[in-house]
Amino acid sequence: MKKYFILCFLTLIFLLSGCSSKDTTALPDNANVSTEPESVPGKTIQSSEYTASPNDQNQKQEITVTEQSESPSYYAKSDNTVVTLEITAVYPVITISHNITASDKINAAIKAELETFREFEKDHAAEAEKLYQNSLDSQSEFCPYTAGFSYTLKRCDENIISVVFHQTDYTGGAHANSWSYGITFDSATGERLYLESLSLDYPKFYKTLLNELTAQAGLPAYQDYLYDGQDVDLEHTLLQDSSSWYLDRSGISFISNPYALGPYASGNFEFNIPYANLHGLKETYSYKESYIRKLFPGTSAQHDLNGDGTADDICYAILADAAYADVRPFLTINGTNFSSEFDKLYLSYLYTGAYHLIDIDPEDNYVEIAISSENIDQPEKSSTHFFRYDASNKLTYLGNISGIFHDNMNVTFNSNGNLVLVDKEGVSFEK
C-alpha cells in the first residue's frame, strides 16, 4: 500500500500526510513450453481519422490500434501437467492507412520489446524448473512463477504515438516485481523519438526539463515517495534513460519505478511537465486540442475552472493518519475546503497516480475536475468521478465512469446528460 506525505500550495493549506493473434515464431521451442499457447483474437480498441496532408484536405488517414494477446506456459520437464511459469502478454498492433512504412516501423519496434520480454522469461523458466525439481526432492510445496506484459496507449494522433509498457514478474517471495517504461514514435515517419528528437535546441530543452523535474521533486507531495535523506539523481535516472518518459495529451511524463528514486513501498510514480512549460518543444509534437492537465496528488495548479477570467487555485490530495487507518480525499479550490463533497460517494479506494483538469465540452466555459478511485486488488471496481466548479463558486458532482481515467481517454455527455467514454470522433464506446 502506498503512503502519502503531501502539501498543497494554497492559502491557509497546511502540511498533511498519508499514505490476438499469437506469434509463435519467437516462442521457445524446447520441451519446457506448451506447444499450443492460448490465443485470443485481435480486438480493435481505437480508431481515429485525421487529415493526412495540408496540401490535400480531402485525403483522410486512419490510425487503427488492434490489441493482440498470447498466453504461453512452461511446464515441468518431468510432468507436463505441472505449470512452472505462466505468461500473459498483451500488445498493440498499429495500422496507419496510406502509411505502411510508418506502421511497419512502429510494429517492428513493439515486437522487439515483446521479444525482449520473451527472452527475459526464458531465464525465469529455467529457474522455475530447478525450483520445481528441488520441491520434489524436498517434498515441499511448489509455487509457479508468473509473468505479464501489457501496455497503455498514452497518445495516438497524427503527430505522436506514445505507448507505456508494463511488466510484472513473480519469482517467489513476498511480492511480485513490476516496472513500466515508455516508447514514443513520430506518427508520420514511424521513427522512435528520443528526448533529443523533441527539440531543435536540445541543450536548452534538456536544462528546462531538469529544472522542472528538480522543482517538482522538491515539493512536499513527493517527499514520502523519494528515498529519505538522500539526494536523488534525477538526471541519471530520468533524463539519461531513453525509456523513462512518454508523451500524452497533458505533456511529458517521467516514470520512476520501484527502487529508481524511492523504495519499493513508493511503487510507480510520475512527474508531469505540461506542454505550456515545455519551451523549445518542436511545434509538431505539441498538443493543441481541448485542455487537459495531469497532476500528481498533493500538488496544486492554477487554471480558470469556471470561465470568469480569473485563474483558480486547486489542489487534490489523499490524506491518511499515521497508521493509515483513516484514508480520505481532500480537495480545496481558492482556499475553500470541498472535501465533504466526497462523503456521499463512499469512496473506498483512493490510491491513484494522478488527478486531472479536463475540458469535457469545449463549447462551454468550464474545465472539469476528474478524480479517480483505484481498486488495485479488484480493478473492475475502480472508477473516476467528475466535478464542476461553477461561477457561483459551488462544486457540482457530474457523475462517474468505470475505470481509471488516463490521458488518451475522451469523455463527453450523452443525450441523457450522462458521462460516457468516446473515441476521438466522439463515438461512444458503450454498447
Side-chain angles (χ1 to χ4, degrees), residues 32 57 87 94 168 184 223 277 284 292 297 353 360 368 373:
N32 213 38
Q57 295 298 319
I87 298 174
I94 310 294
T168 60
T184 297
Q223 296 314 297
N277 294 3
T284 188
I292 184 171
I360 295 178
E368 285 77 18
S373 175

Side-chain angles (χ1 to χ4, degrees), residues 196-211:
E196 54 266 33
S197 311
L198 302 182
S199 176
L200 295 175
D201 186 353
Y202 183 59
K204 185 176 181 180
F205 186 65
Y206 184 95
K207 186 175 181 181
T208 295
L209 296 177
L210 182 58
N211 289 342

Side-chain angles (χ1 to χ4, degrees), residues 339-407:
S339 303
S340 61
E341 296 293 327
F342 297 104
D343 294 343
K344 65 191 76 172
L345 300 180
Y346 302 103
L347 302 181
S348 301
Y349 310 97
L350 299 173
Y351 302 100
T352 186
Y355 71 102
H356 291 80
L357 306 183
I358 176 173
D359 188 358
I360 295 178
D361 183 2
E363 299 298 321
D364 64 28
N365 294 324
Y366 298 105
V367 170
E368 285 77 18
I369 307 165
I371 294 173
S372 296
S373 175
E374 181 178 12
N375 187 334
I376 296 175
D377 297 324
Q378 295 178 286
E380 68 278 4
K381 293 186 178 181
S382 298
S383 58
T384 300
H385 302 267
F386 294 82
F387 300 85
R388 174 179 292 164
Y389 183 69
D390 63 25
S392 61
N393 301 327
K394 293 182 180 179
L395 192 69
T396 302
Y397 180 64
L398 300 178
N400 66 84
I401 60 172
S402 178
I404 302 301
F405 179 85
H406 63 77
D407 301 71

Side-chain angles (χ1 to χ4, degrees), residues 56 61 64 135 184 193 200 247 269 295 297 301 308 321 359 362 430:
D56 183 3
Q61 288 203 20
T64 302
S135 72
T184 297
L193 297 176
L200 295 175
L247 290 173
F269 62 94
L295 293 152
D308 65 359
D321 58 16
D359 188 358
E430 290 187 344

Side-chain angles (χ1 to χ4, degrees), residues 30-33 74-82 84 125-126 129 132-133:
N30 57 39
N32 213 38
V33 67
Y74 286 81
Y75 293 87
K77 292 180 179 179
S78 59
D79 187 346
N80 61 10
T81 66
V82 176
T84 55
E129 174 68 20
Y132 172 69
Q133 294 302 326

Side-chain angles (χ1 to χ4, degrees), residues 71 109 147 164 261:
S71 51
V164 170
L261 295 174

